[in-house]
Amino acid sequence: MDINELKSRIKEGRLSGCFILAGEEDYLKRYYLERIREATVEDGAFATFNHAIYDGAEVSFAKIRDDITSAPMMSDKKLIEWRYPNFEKMKDSELKLLEETVELLGEYDYATLVFLVAEDGLVLGTAKRESKFEKRFGKTVGILNFTASTDAALLSWLSKHFEAEGITASRDTLSSLLFRAGHSMSVLHGEVQKLCAFAHAKGKSEITEADVVLVASSTPECDTYALTNAVLARDKRLALTALDEMKSRRVDPVVIFGMLARTYSELAEVVMMLKDGLGFADIQAKTGMNAYRLKHYVGAAPKFTPERIVNILAELERVDAGAKFGGVTGYTAIDLFITKCI
């Protein structure tokens, strides 16, 4: 089942049967579970009697069967939720009970059964190669796989959320929020709420990149941004200051070194492509790089000749090899690298 079919069934009130909300995007799973609740559970004194909620990796199909066969109270619909079952660890005998439960639901069209599954609770296949579970239940159960959203989808989603609050934000601003807060829709939703509250309090109709830096919380990925920015600007003082900050937070030197290697490798790729005459759009198409990150690389490129980039990458390899075979390691190695190469 795809998301459009679920939306259609929610809108038309055709929600009887069994649904499994799986995949890695927790925000969307919870969002559509709430939409299902709204479509099946009527407000009022009898809502409690028509909405059964269970938690646990092991599913009690006996409890679910009792809920299915007991008629709703003062309503023509009822909802049964089981949150976070682990289908991956179910034995064949349990999967047979699931089959029997789905078959039973066909006799009681007032009942809707929904399983909210953690990412590792059900591993699904692809459109070209279905998993064994999908082959077994795909025709009788509405299985929805909420995969991680792409940057483009997240940017569109963020834009719509700001617009709903009467606030505008440029693509660069949205990209900076995505970079700073990460790709979790749950986290991003919270950051949008904070930024909207900030804008309303200040009487602003537009959110800027400066507002994002001021208001939004940063992820560990973004905490390395200060050092990356200093590297691209070839500012040794700022780089050493950023390293001191990361030391105080006890960021693993291996993580810092990996970030430096990634930054210079990606920068080298951009510098070479620019030298070959490629434009921004062509480079992005070839590398698949985030537009916000690529913009900074393109801006920094004039500060680096191809020869300098090659020498820096060679020095990184030398430092890495030295650390593995008895040379200088940890923060000291990174400090020496910054002093020598920036």
Side-chain angles (χ1 to χ4, degrees):
M1 173 180 283
D2 63 27
I3 191 62
N4 289 325
E5 184 179 350
L6 177 62
K7 289 179 180 178
S8 177
R9 293 184 65 172
I10 291 173
K11 184 178 181 180
E12 296 171 9
R14 298 183 295 107
L15 279 174
S16 61
C18 181
F19 299 87
I20 295 177
L21 310 182
E24 54 192 314
E25 188 49 79
D26 290 332
Y27 175 87
L28 289 178
K29 288 186 288 188
R30 291 195 298 269
Y31 175 84
Y32 282 103
L33 176 57
E34 185 59 34
R35 300 291 78 76
I36 291 172
R37 287 173 183 161
E38 291 173 355
T40 54
V41 182
E42 299 176 2
D43 292 332
F46 297 99
T48 302
F49 299 99
N50 299 320
H51 185 193
I53 303 175
Y54 302 102
D55 290 279
E58 296 182 5
V59 176
S60 171
F61 290 102
K63 287 183 179 179
I64 292 176
R65 181 184 180 89
D66 288 342
D67 286 318
I68 293 172
T69 55
S70 61
M73 187 174 294
M74 302 299 290
S75 174
D76 57 359
K77 298 176 183 177
K78 73 181 306 182
L79 175 64
I80 304 121
E81 292 179 30
W82 198 291
R83 299 183 299 196
Y84 306 114
N86 194 326
F87 291 111
E88 289 297 309
K89 292 187 177 181
M90 282 189 184
K91 300 175 182 178
D92 187 65
S93 58
E94 294 172 295
L95 294 176
K96 286 181 179 178
L97 289 174
L98 175 59
E99 287 176 325
E100 293 172 6
T101 300
V102 172
E103 185 177 350
L104 180 65
L105 280 163
E107 302 174 22
Y108 298 87
D109 60 4
Y110 55 72
T112 300
L113 171 61
V114 180
F115 292 102
L116 177 66
V117 189
E119 182 181 350
D120 59 355
L122 179 60
V123 179
L124 299 173
T126 63
K128 293 183 178 179
R129 189 173 182 178
E130 293 183 327
S131 66
K132 289 183 179 179
F133 188 92
E134 288 171 292
K135 290 178 180 178
R136 184 168 180 173
F137 293 99
K139 293 181 179 179
T140 57
V141 175
I143 304 173
L144 291 110
N145 185 12
F146 293 97
T147 57
S149 300
T150 63
D151 281 8
L154 287 172
L155 290 172
S156 175
W157 178 75
L158 287 169
S159 179
K160 290 177 181 177
H161 273 62
F162 280 118
E163 288 174 3
E165 293 282 342
I167 297 170
T168 59
S170 70
R171 190 172 183 83
D172 283 346
T173 297
L174 296 176
S175 294
S176 68
L177 176 57
L178 196 61
F179 178 76
R180 185 171 181 80
H183 290 67
S184 165
M185 293 181 80
S186 297
V187 172
L188 287 169
H189 183 259
E191 297 302 333
V192 169
Q193 290 181 315
K194 284 165 55 179
L195 284 162
C196 287
F198 169 80
H200 291 317
K202 296 292 184 180
K204 294 164 63 74
S205 60
E206 181 178 6
I207 290 293
T208 66
E209 291 185 55
D211 296 329
V212 169
V213 173
L214 178 64
V215 176
S217 301
S218 63
T219 62
E221 175 187 6
C222 184
D223 288 338
T224 64
Y225 176 67
L227 180 56
T228 300
N229 205 33
V231 164
L232 296 179
R234 292 187 63 183
D235 190 321
K236 187 178 300 183
R237 181 184 63 81
L238 283 179
L240 291 172
T241 299
L243 179 60
D244 286 341
E245 174 64 20
M246 296 173 84
K247 287 179 186 177
S248 70
R249 296 190 185 192
R250 297 183 180 180
V251 177
D252 191 334
V254 174
V255 172
I256 302 174
F257 188 82
M259 181 276 296
L260 288 169
R262 176 187 176 185
T263 297
Y264 280 115
S265 295
E266 291 181 339
L267 176 62
E269 194 173 11
V270 171
V271 168
M272 299 303 180
M273 289 185 179
L274 287 172
K275 183 182 178 183
D276 291 340
L278 275 68
F280 188 97
D282 292 328
I283 295 174
Q284 187 174 27
K286 285 182 174 293
T287 62
M289 200 176 295
N290 176 281
Y292 186 73
R293 184 188 295 273
L294 179 57
K295 182 179 73 172
H296 283 76
Y297 284 139
V298 170
K303 300 183 180 71
F304 297 85
T305 63
E307 292 75 21
R308 180 171 181 79
I309 286 289
V310 169
N311 290 336
I312 290 174
L313 289 173
E315 180 64 16
L316 276 170
E317 290 183 5
R318 189 193 68 75
V319 172
D320 185 40
K324 291 175 180 176
F325 297 101
V328 179
T329 61
Y331 294 124
T332 301
I334 298 170
D335 198 314
L336 290 172
F337 171 80
I338 289 173
T339 302
K340 180 177 181 179
C341 293
I342 295 182

